[in-house]
């Protein structure tokens, strides 16, 4: 399934930024660099009309719980603006903000 249509599914830039904030702050954990890389490519895909990442790449590189929520987001984007808002609320409840990023852990190890 192509993901090139996703950038057109948002009510406005504010809604897209809220979705991207959830992906960045709650899903893309740089302690797992491979998964983080593909989630951030998907984050970028939400603003682009060209293919940055494919579903196949996501399914190979993103863990099941996060992949499920990304698939729910794709469905919401293709359904309605209200579904996107509901996805944001649901994802914020399901995934805490990532506090301990890998670079902070590495810095703490150097001191």
């Amino acid at each position: 399934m192509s993901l090139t249509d996703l950038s057109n599914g948002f009510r406005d830039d504010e809604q897209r930024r809220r979705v991207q904030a959830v992906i960045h702050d709650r899903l893309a954990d740089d302690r797992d660099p491979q998964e983080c890389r593909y989630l951030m490519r998907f984050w970028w895909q939400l603003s682009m009309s060209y293919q940055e990442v494919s579903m196949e790449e996501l399914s190979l590189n993103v863990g099941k719980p996060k992949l499920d929520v990304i698939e729910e987001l794709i469905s919401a984007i293709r359904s309605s603006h209200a579904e996107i808002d509901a996805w944001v609320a649901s994802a914020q409840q399901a995934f805490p903000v990532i506090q301990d990023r890998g670079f902070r852990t590495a810095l703490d190890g150097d001191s």
Side-chain angles (χ1 to χ4, degrees):
M1 138 183 22
S2 173
L3 303 178
T4 58
D5 63 327
L6 299 180
S7 63
N8 300 322
F10 297 99
R11 176 184 313 111
D12 52 27
D13 285 340
E14 178 58 32
Q15 186 178 48
R16 179 187 43 78
R17 282 192 295 270
R18 280 197 319 273
V19 167
Q20 286 178 309
V22 169
I23 293 168
H24 178 271
D25 297 345
R26 297 169 184 270
L27 300 179
D29 187 344
D30 61 2
R31 290 173 293 179
D32 184 343
Q34 184 75 359
E35 181 180 77
C36 183
R37 182 178 305 114
Y38 282 90
L39 286 168
M40 291 310 293
R41 287 178 70 190
F42 179 74
W43 176 95
W44 189 252
Q45 181 73 50
L46 297 176
S47 301
M48 298 295 144
S49 59
Y50 61 84
Q51 179 108 352
E52 180 66 31
V53 67
S54 68
M55 275 310 299
E56 181 179 359
E57 289 172 317
L58 288 170
S59 65
L60 291 172
N61 294 286
V62 176
K64 178 93 170 102
K66 292 178 184 179
L67 183 62
D68 288 346
V69 86
I70 291 296
E71 288 174 341
E72 290 169 9
L73 171 59
I74 292 167
S75 177
I77 292 170
R78 291 181 173 152
S79 296
S80 72
H81 300 143
E83 288 290 320
I84 296 170
D85 292 336
W87 179 88
V88 168
S90 174
Q92 287 175 330
Q93 288 182 331
F95 294 91
V97 173
I98 299 165
Q99 298 292 332
D100 184 20
R101 299 238 178 225
F103 69 89
R104 288 192 188 124
T105 303
L107 289 175
D108 291 344
D110 291 340
S111 28

